[in-house]
Amino acid sequence: MQREVGSLPLAPALRAKLVAAGFQTAQELLETGPCGLSKELGISKEEALEALQVVRQDCHGDAARTAGGSGTTRKCTALELLEEEQAQGFIITFCSALDNILGGGVQLTKITEICGAPGVGKTQLCMQLAVDVQIPECFGGVAGEAVFIDTEGSFMVDRVVDIATACVQHCQLIAEAHQEEDHLKALETFSLESILSHIYYFRCRDYIELLAQVYLLPDFLSEHSKVRLVVVDGIAFPFRHDFEDLSLRTRLLNGLAQQLIIIANDHKSAVVLTNQMTTRIGQNQSTLVPALGESWGHAATVRLIFHWDNSQRLATLYKSPSQKESTIPYHITSHGFRDVQPPAVTQNAEDTEMNPRKRPRREEEK
């Protein structure tokens, strides 16, 4: 662990950056972690994680950490899994309240399911994410691309243009406020045309086309290695009719879920699914529950349920391995998926706050 940085089996340019940043030993690198190393050297989190894995493998002489051939199982420690998760990052939603209850946003390598009634905003969030996944790293994004699989015909490119335009303007405001060179350079290629050209759209009209597209997706992702988001909007629609054999439907759905898990893990992508709601009839009452049954509920790592409270849209984090159940309000605006703004302060309250010496009127003076 006390091996000098200059003797590590890393690229010469990377070794030079390490020395310039003041790193002397391999132990110092491993203690810094991928996130810290990324910031110190100005490289991506993936590059930092790869460098740390090379250093750890070299120091321990463990050449069997990763799968070496067919039939072998990948072996790793809990520490390495933690570092990988920390390096993956999140796709922000532009709704800070939703990002907070999700732990930072929609996480890469995980399956997130969004359930809700028609018109509550499921597709709006999917289109927002297809734009947000492309935000450059210097602005807090993952600089990826998106695959959008549409089974309901609800993808509206005009709406994506509105969301993308607002996103570019937001990044421009940040760049103007900070005047940093990397921000200005990133904006040279982050434009409306660039965003639209990196959303790959597929229209699937039945469950056969959907299954075929998902099973062929790994080949497409191998050719488009920057894809960090796969959206299936919606997963339930093709499976809710033309199925007399429910056991066959269950088997097909289980196979589909397994394939999506493989895609998320192998290609370091977030998989986002939308699901419809259905009515469950009980003895004394009926309730709305996500469609496709209880067995499908195990497919997603994170499940969000969108619903209404009178005219207010609400999002409830129903299932998560690391975050507590929470409910937050959100708005769908002309710019996209956003926080609910607090009500404006009344004029009387402002006057009182601006004039703290002003004597309040007593009841007898009125």
Side-chain angles (χ1 to χ4, degrees):
M1 289 295 185
Q2 296 302 320
R3 183 169 176 176
E4 293 185 359
V5 167
S7 63
L8 293 173
L10 299 171
L14 183 57
R15 288 202 302 267
K17 286 184 178 181
L18 290 170
V19 173
F23 291 100
Q24 296 180 350
T25 65
Q27 180 66 33
E28 293 176 352
L29 287 179
L30 297 176
E31 290 175 352
T32 303
C35 294
L37 191 62
S38 171
K39 293 179 181 178
E40 288 281 349
L41 304 185
I43 60 178
S44 68
K45 292 179 181 178
E46 288 79 8
E47 291 174 322
L49 176 62
E50 184 179 354
L52 289 176
Q53 289 176 338
V54 170
V55 172
R56 183 177 288 105
Q57 180 177 341
D58 186 72
C59 290
H60 292 285
D62 183 10
R65 281 181 54 252
T66 55
S70 59
T72 60
T73 303
R74 180 177 183 266
K75 300 183 180 118
C76 60
T77 66
L79 175 60
E80 291 166 351
L81 287 176
L82 176 63
E83 290 178 347
E84 287 183 8
E85 292 230 345
Q86 290 176 338
Q88 292 310 321
F90 299 86
I91 305 172
I92 63 170
T93 67
F94 267 80
C95 175
S96 59
L98 183 57
D99 289 339
N100 289 338
I101 67 172
L102 289 173
V106 176
Q107 190 171 2
L108 304 184
T109 73
K110 299 291 187 290
I111 296 181
T112 300
E113 183 183 28
I114 306 167
C115 310
V120 77
K122 304 186 298 296
T123 301
Q124 295 289 326
L125 178 56
C126 290
M127 292 187 290
Q128 181 77 59
L129 291 171
V131 171
D132 295 349
V133 71
Q134 302 182 50
I135 295 175
E137 289 185 352
C138 60
F139 290 103
V142 296
E145 299 174 352
V147 167
F148 200 108
I149 300 175
D150 183 9
T151 69
E152 300 182 10
S154 53
F155 181 86
M156 302 297 292
V157 69
D158 291 343
R159 182 62 178 144
V160 177
V161 169
D162 294 339
I163 295 171
T165 301
C167 182
V168 172
Q169 291 174 349
H170 181 80
C171 292
Q172 288 173 342
L173 291 174
I174 294 176
E176 291 173 3
H178 293 82
Q179 291 294 323
E180 294 184 8
E181 184 179 351
D182 55 345
H183 287 173
L184 299 174
K185 185 177 181 180
L187 285 176
E188 294 177 1
T189 56
F190 186 62
S191 63
L192 173 61
E193 291 76 13
S194 172
I195 292 173
L196 295 179
S197 64
H198 293 115
I199 299 176
Y200 305 107
Y201 176 78
F202 300 90
R203 179 73 168 96
C204 298
R205 291 170 174 80
D206 56 41
Y207 76 91
I208 296 175
E209 290 186 0
L210 175 60
L211 291 171
Q213 185 57 58
V214 171
Y215 279 97
L216 291 173
L217 202 55
D219 293 335
F220 179 85
L221 296 180
S222 297
E223 298 173 359
H224 299 79
S225 59
K226 293 186 68 177
V227 170
R228 291 293 176 267
L229 172 68
V230 175
V231 173
V232 181
D233 181 32
I235 196 71
F237 184 74
F239 291 96
R240 296 193 72 181
H241 54 85
D242 298 334
F243 265 102
E244 296 181 1
D245 187 349
L246 292 181
S247 63
L248 171 62
R249 187 183 82 162
T250 301
R251 291 196 299 273
L252 291 176
L253 283 170
N254 288 341
L256 181 63
Q258 188 62 37
Q259 181 68 11
L260 291 171
I261 292 172
I262 292 172
I263 289 171
N265 289 326
D266 290 354
H267 297 277
K268 309 300 182 187
S269 298
V271 174
V272 176
L273 316 172
T274 67
N275 194 0
Q276 301 172 348
M277 303 294 282
T278 189
T279 303
R280 175 184 291 169
I281 307 298
Q283 291 183 349
N284 300 321
Q285 61 180 359
S286 60
T287 55
L288 282 176
V289 296
L292 301 180
E294 293 288 342
S295 60
W296 175 255
H298 300 286
T301 312
V302 177
R303 173 175 269 184
L304 286 166
I305 296 182
F306 288 3
H307 51 101
W308 294 93
D309 182 12
N310 296 322
S311 61
Q312 176 61 62
R313 291 179 170 95
L314 299 175
T316 297
L317 180 62
Y318 185 78
K319 174 188 175 185
S320 171
S322 58
Q323 304 295 318
K324 66 179 181 179
E325 182 173 330
S326 304
T327 299
I328 58 97
Y330 64 93
H331 268 334
I332 306 296
T333 73
S334 59
H335 292 160
F337 204 90
R338 294 294 188 271
D339 284 291
V340 173
Q341 298 300 322
V345 180
T346 62
Q347 186 67 33
N348 290 338
E350 290 178 351
D351 289 343
T352 303
E353 190 173 351
M354 292 174 63
N355 300 283
R357 296 182 181 180
K358 185 176 180 181
R359 182 170 61 89
R361 295 179 64 188
R362 296 177 182 174
E363 189 65 30
E364 59 269 22
E365 295 177 349
K366 295 182 181 179

